[in-house]
């Protein structure tokens, strides 16, 4: 169908958005060489993430010479609104440069990338993105080293929150288990008391008959 639509001039390029690991991407591109481009989640925070596998997926697409469209370059706004410690490092390095600039330039400067998709929610963001992408200079070594520190800071914050969420969840589970066990024990006790009452009632009736 795709080939027919291209032959009929209904589409010029065919590609897909990918949300799996590099191994699956390799399999797809091997089985479907007709694919013209791939859309990948790429940003400097996910670059070496073992789950997202931005770098591995990027390298796989490059291996097959597939042009790349980048999605999530700012990771849903995370790389535009950095933790205070991380933002301070960037401001100290280059006062006046927006954090989002580093994220967009990281994605745009990668060889093989021909489009960077960035969600915007205000006119100011649109103007900032146009200004940044008008001439997205590649990151220098100092900036790359700086972003590596930013990644460490963000990941440490995430681990901190995950740790505390795990602690809260553990206590919630304990409370739930306690309530379930308490409810079970209460039910058993009530059933036992009910059975005793029935037995006592039957014994009382037997005694009454004997007396009569």
């Amino acid at each position: 169908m795709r080939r027919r639509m291209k032959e009929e001039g209904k589409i010029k390029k065919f590609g897909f958005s990918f949300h799996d690991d590099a191994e699956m991407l390799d399999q797809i591109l091997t089985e479907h060489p007709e694919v013209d481009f791939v859309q990948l989640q790429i940003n400097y925070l996910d670059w070496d993430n073992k789950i997202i596998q931005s770098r591995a997926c990027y390298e796989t697409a490059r291996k097959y010479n597939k042009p790349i469209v980048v999605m999530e370059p700012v990771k849903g706004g995370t790389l535009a609104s950095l933790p205070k410690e991380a933002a301070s490092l960037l401001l100290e390095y280059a006062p006046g440069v927006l954090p989002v600039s580093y994220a967009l330039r990281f994605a745009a400067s990668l060889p093989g990338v021909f489009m960077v998709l960035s969600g915007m929610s205000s006119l100011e963001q649109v103007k900032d993105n146009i200004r940044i992408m008008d001439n997205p200079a590649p990151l220098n070594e100092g900036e790359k080293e700086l972003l590596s520190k930013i990644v460490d800071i963000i990941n440490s914050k995430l681990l901190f929150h995950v740790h505390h969420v795990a602690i809260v969840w553990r206590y919630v589970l304990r409370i739930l288990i306690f309530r379930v066990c308490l409810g079970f024990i209460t039910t058993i006790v009530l059933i036992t008391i009910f059975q005793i009452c029935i037995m006592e009632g039957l014994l009382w009736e037997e005694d009454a008959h004997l007396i009569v």
Side-chain angles (χ1 to χ4, degrees), residues 25 40 47 53-65 68:
L25 179 60
L40 301 175
W47 188 241
Q53 297 186 13
S54 284
R55 182 201 292 267
C57 289
Y58 166 79
E59 291 175 348
T60 300
R62 292 292 290 162
K63 183 176 74 171
Y64 289 89
N65 295 315
I68 299 166

Side-chain angles (χ1 to χ4, degrees), residues 102-113:
Y102 296 93
L104 293 178
R105 288 169 55 214
F106 174 86
S109 62
L110 292 171
V113 170

Side-chain angles (χ1 to χ4, degrees), residues 133-147:
M133 295 301 289
D134 185 50
N135 183 26
L139 299 173
N140 59 45
E141 291 304 315
E143 290 172 325
K144 291 178 181 178
E145 184 178 344
L146 183 62
L147 292 186

Side-chain angles (χ1 to χ4, degrees), residues 6 10 28-29 45-46 52-53 56-57 71 74-75 103 110 133 162 164 184 197 204 207:
K6 290 180 73 172
K10 294 181 178 179
I28 292 173
L29 294 179
L45 182 60
D46 292 329
I52 306 299
Q53 297 186 13
C57 289
M71 59 179 169
V74 194
K75 197 170 176 63
L110 292 171
M133 295 301 289
V162 168
H164 281 74
F184 178 75
C197 289
W204 183 83
D207 291 341

